[in-house]
Amino acid sequence: QKGIKESPYIFPDLNNGRAYKFHVRGVNKEGKSKWSEVSAPVTPLRIPPKPIELRTVEYDREITVFWVCEELKTPEYSGWYEVESIPATFTMVVTRSQARFRRLTNGIKYKFVVKAVNQVGESISDESKSAVPDDIITKEQYSLKKKSIACEVKEILLKIRKEQKKQRAHDKLVKLKKAQTKQKQQDKRTNKD
């Protein structure tokens, strides 16, 4: 990049998740300095998306929380989730889109909040609906409901990804049509001359 006049400088149009190395030198009327040492790799990241569609599965003294969010273990995000209960018990730090809270008190209503976090920011979910752990729930009921909710959440994520892909294709088509229209207008002007 040439002509940088101030520091810090923000490099536009870098690819999130791709490592970049930098080196600099000064230039003035006296000439050019030597190049600096090359920096350690720096990887720009995207702020994680907001977790949505929180679901809970209750069991004896525990609740498993599921949610929908893009995968944060990718180079583009390089992040994790922090899941908190209300009332506060502890914070679970996980890399998957689910967390299992154990040693809860049966009969108490709990809600949950999920944060998607990385080095550049965080996005916070809305609160989940209330969930109440109970010792009358059988292990079989718990397992079946967990499997069902896991499938449901995965289906929602796949539907979202399909819609995003469709939107990207639409955006590309619109961009292409604009470029074609612009080219036709330039061709008409050229033919008039």
Side-chain angles (χ1 to χ4, degrees):
Q1 189 79 23
K2 293 183 179 183
I4 298 171
K5 305 238 187 262
E6 54 189 53
S7 175
Y9 179 76
I10 297 173
F11 286 86
D13 302 323
L14 299 180
N15 293 320
N16 293 322
R18 179 175 176 221
Y20 294 89
K21 295 179 183 180
F22 300 92
H23 63 144
V24 297
R25 70 176 176 180
V27 178
N28 63 23
K29 64 182 177 184
E30 300 296 322
K32 299 175 183 177
S33 71
K34 291 183 179 180
W35 285 100
S36 69
E37 294 292 321
V38 176
S39 72
V42 178
T43 306
L45 302 173
R46 291 179 66 186
I47 293 175
K50 178 181 176 179
I52 58 171
E53 300 289 338
L54 274 65
R55 305 279 202 280
T56 57
V57 182
E58 303 89 348
Y59 186 49
D60 184 17
R61 296 182 40 132
E62 71 181 59
I63 296 173
T64 300
V65 185
F66 294 87
W67 58 91
V68 174
C69 194
E70 285 299 319
E71 180 65 50
L72 295 186
K73 291 188 288 187
T74 63
E76 182 180 17
Y77 294 113
S78 192
W80 61 92
Y81 300 104
E82 295 176 3
V83 189
E84 298 175 353
S85 66
I86 305 165
T89 54
F90 48 89
T91 300
M92 298 278 296
V93 178
V94 297
T95 55
R96 303 176 2 165
S97 297
Q98 68 181 64
R100 188 166 155 187
F101 283 76
R102 294 180 172 166
R103 296 185 288 284
L104 300 177
T105 304
N106 286 340
I108 299 288
K109 286 184 182 179
Y110 292 91
K111 292 183 179 183
F112 299 89
V113 174
V114 179
K115 289 185 206 173
V117 182
N118 69 10
Q119 294 173 337
V120 295
E122 65 182 37
S123 297
I124 304 171
S125 73
D126 296 329
E127 286 183 4
S128 70
K129 293 181 182 175
S130 294
V132 181
D134 197 323
D135 61 0
I136 62 168
I137 300 166
T138 67
K139 190 167 187 157
E140 184 180 343
Q141 290 170 320
Y142 175 63
S143 294
L144 288 172
K145 189 168 181 190
K146 271 179 42 173
K147 287 177 185 174
S148 172
I149 295 294
C151 289
E152 186 179 311
V153 165
K154 196 170 277 191
E155 284 178 21
I156 293 168
L157 182 58
L158 291 173
K159 185 176 180 182
I160 289 170
R161 285 181 179 162
K162 186 177 181 180
E163 288 299 317
Q164 289 170 338
K165 187 176 181 180
K166 193 176 182 181
Q167 184 63 44
R168 282 192 301 270
H170 173 74
D171 293 347
K172 270 186 177 179
L173 185 61
V174 167
K175 191 175 179 180
L176 179 63
K177 285 183 178 181
K178 283 182 181 178
Q180 288 173 338
T181 302
K182 187 176 179 180
Q183 185 63 47
K184 284 180 184 178
Q185 289 171 346
Q186 287 176 346
D187 292 347
K188 281 182 183 180
R189 279 181 279 204
T190 305
N191 292 335
K192 283 183 181 180
D193 297 340

